[in-house]
């Protein structure tokens, strides 16, 4: 038996209310009946069209376990723990950070500043180093102490990034190198299936002038 959604539960409750109301108040004038019908239709439409019918908490509690990486980097004897967490050594991490931190994509003119580039890079590396249930957006967000994002934000990125920018002016661009993944990704896994009958990421390299 399928579970009712919150919207279905509200509709069932409202219809039950209509039955009780009509039993208790069977005789009303045509004008009152017309007004009540319009009100009922408005309520039903509001239930169907309202995205969130229940209150949402201002923030979801999360614990930033990823901060351990910054503690590991302080002591050379803990560098192997940093590598285990982010899959690169502290030196490689710093090189990657130096290469990307000045890119315009990490800056905006919003009143809500972006997450620091260092954290964004760490989250990306942590996510790429996980598979199965541990690679879900929810788990990564809880560990990193950040938001999972929303479909609106994803659509915004798709519309503005895509293959635009420096990719469009690429020269001697080529692809064909597949980075094989350990297992099928939990999110949109079929999209990672390759012609070589495994799951992987296609590595594309380009040079721009």
């Amino acid at each position: 038996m399928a579970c009712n959604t919150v919207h279905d539960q509200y509709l069932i409750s409202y219809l039950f209310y209509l039955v009780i109301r009509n039993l208790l108040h069977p005789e009303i004038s045509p004008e009152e009946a017309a007004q009540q019908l319009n009100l009922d239709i408005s309520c039903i439409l509001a239930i169907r069209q309202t995205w969130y019918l229940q209150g949402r908490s201002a923030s979801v509690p999360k614990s930033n376990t990823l901060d351990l990486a910054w503690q590991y980097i302080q002591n050379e004897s803990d560098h192997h723990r940093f590598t285990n967490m982010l899959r690169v050594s502290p030196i490689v991490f710093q090189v990657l950070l130096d290469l990307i931190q000045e890119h315009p994509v990490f800056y905006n003119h919003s009143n809500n500043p972006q997450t620091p580039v260092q954290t964004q890079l760490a989250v990306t590396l942590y996510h790429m180093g996980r598979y199965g249930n541990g690679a879900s957006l929810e788990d990564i967000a809880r560990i990193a102490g950040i938001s999972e994002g929303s479909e609106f934000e994803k659509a915004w990125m798709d519309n503005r990034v895509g293959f635009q920018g420096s990719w469009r002016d690429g020269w001697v661009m080529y692809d064909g190198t597949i980075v094989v993944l350990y297992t099928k990704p939990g999110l949109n896994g079929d999209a990672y299936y390759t012609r070589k009958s495994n799951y992987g990421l296609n590595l594309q390299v380009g040079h721009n002038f």
Side-chain angles (χ1 to χ4, degrees):
M1 181 178 179
C3 295
N4 291 329
T5 65
V6 175
H7 289 78
D8 291 337
Q9 294 173 12
Y10 272 71
L11 283 175
I12 292 172
S13 298
Y14 191 78
L15 293 175
F16 183 73
Y17 156 74
L18 293 182
V19 173
I20 299 299
R21 185 193 67 194
N22 292 334
L23 289 175
L24 296 178
H25 304 284
E27 297 181 2
I28 58 176
S29 66
E31 292 79 7
E32 292 175 333
Q35 292 178 357
Q36 191 63 61
L37 178 61
N38 288 332
L39 179 60
D40 292 337
I41 292 174
S42 298
C43 291
I44 292 174
L45 287 176
I47 293 174
R48 297 299 300 175
Q49 297 175 357
T50 302
W51 191 258
Y52 295 108
L53 294 175
Q54 296 178 332
R56 305 180 72 195
S57 58
S59 61
V60 179
K62 298 182 178 73
S63 177
N64 190 354
T65 309
L66 202 62
D67 277 346
L68 286 172
W70 317 134
Q71 298 180 36
Y72 294 153
I73 208 171
Q74 301 299 322
N75 192 333
E76 189 173 352
S77 63
D78 289 327
H79 282 188
H80 68 284
R81 293 186 173 89
F82 180 95
T83 303
N84 180 268
M85 178 176 279
L86 301 186
R87 297 299 193 255
V88 296
S89 69
I91 294 177
V92 171
F93 181 89
Q94 188 59 49
V95 170
L96 292 173
L97 183 62
D98 291 341
L99 289 172
I100 68 173
Q101 62 183 351
E102 299 299 329
H103 195 283
V105 75
F106 295 110
Y107 300 92
N108 55 36
H109 302 289
S110 171
N111 293 326
N112 299 317
Q114 289 195 32
T115 301
V117 181
Q118 173 179 272
T119 303
Q120 294 189 50
L121 176 59
V123 171
T124 300
L125 293 173
Y126 185 91
H127 196 178
M128 292 176 67
R130 300 299 179 277
Y131 60 89
N133 293 336
S136 70
L137 291 178
E138 291 79 6
D139 284 345
I140 301 297
R142 279 191 289 268
I143 289 173
I146 59 176
S147 170
E148 299 95 334
S150 67
E151 292 303 318
F152 174 81
E153 292 165 342
K154 295 173 186 175
W156 188 93
M157 290 297 294
D158 289 341
N159 291 333
R160 287 162 176 76
V161 181
F163 291 96
Q164 300 176 6
S166 59
W167 288 98
R168 182 172 293 175
D169 300 322
W171 183 73
V172 192
M173 186 178 296
Y174 62 91
D175 63 6
T177 301
I178 296 176
V179 180
V180 179
L181 301 176
Y182 176 80
T183 188
K184 178 180 178 180
L187 180 65
N188 299 327
D190 291 339
Y192 296 89
Y193 192 75
T194 74
R195 60 185 176 80
K196 297 183 178 180
S197 301
N198 55 24
Y199 295 92
L201 299 173
N202 187 280
L203 179 63
Q204 187 176 65
V205 180
H207 187 74
N208 298 314
F209 285 94

